[in-house]
Amino acid sequence: MGKRNNVTEFVFWGLSQNLEVEEVCFVVFSFFYAVILLGNLLIMLTVYKGSLFKLPMYFFLSCLSFVDICYSSVTAPKMIVDLLAKHKTISYEGCMLQLFGVHFFGCTEIFILTVMAYDRYVAICQPLHYMTIMSQDRCSKMLLGAWLGGFLHSIIQVALIVQLPFCGPNEIDHYFCDVHPMLKLACTDTYVVSVVVTANSGTIALGSFVILLISYTVILVSLRRQSADGRRKALSTCGSHVAVVIIFFGPCTFMYMRPDTTFSEDKTVAVFYTIITPMLNPLIYTMRNAEVKNVMKKLWGSKVFWEANDK
């Protein structure tokens, strides 16, 4: 029997059914999205203008900021518009594209965070060989691997959903198209697909999280041999990384390391890794990184000073 797909569009339930709550959320998330765009663009411009991209840590930081902008832009604009819309609809094709984008940029971010942990491990544990190990060529290859890994993961996710028949109903209890809510709408047995989805997403999320924990544990142990000043600088940098990892991987693990089930808390949890984390990344990395703050002061502070003198 061939695939039967009578659904041409899907209807989101959104974050809330309460009109007043939605109006408040519209203001709040519009502000959050503006912070995401401005904060991450500021980091990218600072790294580029200050020629920090020649250093591996800042090269990956600028890439992370770019991915954060793309990642949040897949869901946030549509969600913000829908908060004031009576009918929150998305076409079937748009839903598949959104599903692809969420997993593509989300998985790429996971791999970039993992690479950044490896970069810190080499810098702290093998400082004499740092520039040799983390050469520009190797950094570019690791970044390419992160993008290819994200693409492969998202293609698998979309391929599993596209082949499912959707006969109705077409209402998604979420604010964007994701795997688990869509599996509930398929008019066929989705047990095998849900197992593959959980294995695919769960292995990447949990596996990367374990690798990150091991990396930072080794780094913390090795800090005992460092000087007090070296320990302070390393802890400041690694502390920001660990904060991002916990905020991002905690919700991701909750969402994808489980069978085909949905909970009422899913939408709230999803807000953390689609909006809150991309918004906090610039704040965490700039507030905890003295070098980035100094470059920002030199670049943007001096620019404001020049403009004031010109007037």
Side-chain angles (χ1 to χ4, degrees):
M1 186 175 179
K3 173 188 172 184
R4 294 179 293 108
N5 196 347
N6 301 329
V7 174
T8 58
E9 68 176 17
F10 294 97
V11 179
F12 293 132
W13 284 15
L15 284 174
S16 174
Q17 306 299 310
N18 187 305
L19 184 59
E20 293 182 356
V21 172
E22 288 190 326
E23 290 175 350
V24 173
C25 288
F26 174 81
V27 175
V28 171
F29 288 114
S30 295
F31 173 74
F32 284 176
Y33 186 55
V35 172
I36 290 170
L37 296 179
L38 294 175
N40 285 291
L41 280 173
L42 180 61
I43 285 183
M44 292 169 63
L45 287 172
T46 300
V47 171
Y48 176 75
K49 289 285 188 178
S51 298
L52 293 176
F53 58 86
K54 296 176 183 178
L55 302 174
M57 184 174 79
Y58 300 107
F59 170 71
F60 290 122
L61 178 58
S62 64
C63 294
L64 179 67
S65 292
F66 175 74
V67 172
D68 276 335
I69 290 174
C70 296
Y71 185 39
S72 60
S73 296
V74 174
T75 59
K78 172 65 175 169
M79 180 196 71
I80 291 169
V81 171
D82 282 347
L83 285 169
L84 298 183
K86 291 183 179 180
H87 303 289
K88 305 172 177 60
T89 61
I90 187 171
S91 66
Y92 177 85
E93 293 78 12
C95 190
M96 294 302 111
L97 285 173
Q98 193 177 57
L99 177 66
F100 173 83
V102 167
H103 284 269
F104 176 44
F105 293 114
C107 188
T108 301
E109 177 155 343
I110 285 175
F111 290 141
I112 289 177
L113 288 171
T114 305
V115 170
M116 290 176 75
Y118 176 70
D119 170 70
R120 290 301 84 204
Y121 163 77
V122 176
I124 294 171
C125 299
Q126 302 184 47
L128 298 178
H129 305 285
Y130 178 69
M131 294 311 298
T132 303
I133 297 174
M134 300 300 294
S135 63
Q136 287 191 351
D137 181 61
R138 183 165 295 178
C139 288
S140 298
K141 288 179 180 178
M142 287 192 287
L143 180 63
L144 178 61
W147 284 103
L148 289 176
F151 180 79
L152 180 62
H153 163 74
S154 58
I155 281 292
I156 293 173
Q157 299 293 81
V158 173
L160 291 170
I161 298 300
V162 165
Q163 52 89 30
L164 295 175
F166 296 95
C167 316
N170 65 338
E171 296 183 350
I172 300 176
D173 185 13
H174 216 308
Y175 63 90
F176 68 91
C177 293
D178 205 0
V179 178
H180 289 312
M182 297 198 68
L183 287 175
K184 290 184 67 177
L185 301 181
C187 48
T188 186
D189 182 19
T190 60
Y191 175 75
V192 175
V193 175
S194 67
V195 170
V196 176
V197 163
T198 302
N200 185 16
S201 299
T203 300
I204 291 174
L206 186 61
S208 299
F209 188 48
V210 170
I211 291 172
L212 287 164
L213 287 179
I214 293 172
S215 299
Y216 288 119
T217 300
V218 173
I219 289 172
L220 290 174
V221 170
S222 68
L223 287 178
R224 292 181 301 178
R225 298 190 298 270
Q226 301 279 341
S227 63
D229 187 54
R231 279 199 302 270
R232 188 175 64 256
K233 290 181 179 178
L235 286 172
S236 177
T237 303
C238 291
S240 61
H241 290 206
V242 171
V244 170
V245 166
I246 292 173
I247 295 171
F248 185 74
F249 278 89
C252 279
T253 304
F254 172 80
M255 289 292 292
Y256 299 109
M257 272 301 297
R258 69 185 195 213
D260 180 23
T261 54
T262 56
F263 301 109
S264 58
E265 297 84 5
D266 285 355
K267 287 182 282 189
T268 304
V269 172
V271 166
F272 275 89
Y273 61 83
T274 59
I275 295 178
I276 302 300
T277 301
M279 181 185 68
L280 291 180
N281 278 355
L283 298 175
I284 292 172
Y285 281 111
T286 53
M287 294 301 290
R288 296 297 300 274
N289 193 306
E291 189 168 359
V292 173
K293 286 191 289 186
N294 290 335
V295 171
M296 281 185 175
K297 288 178 183 177
K298 289 179 182 178
L299 289 174
W300 311 114
S302 59
K303 190 172 182 180
V304 171
F305 177 74
W306 290 336
E307 288 176 353
N309 283 344
D310 289 339
K311 293 178 181 179

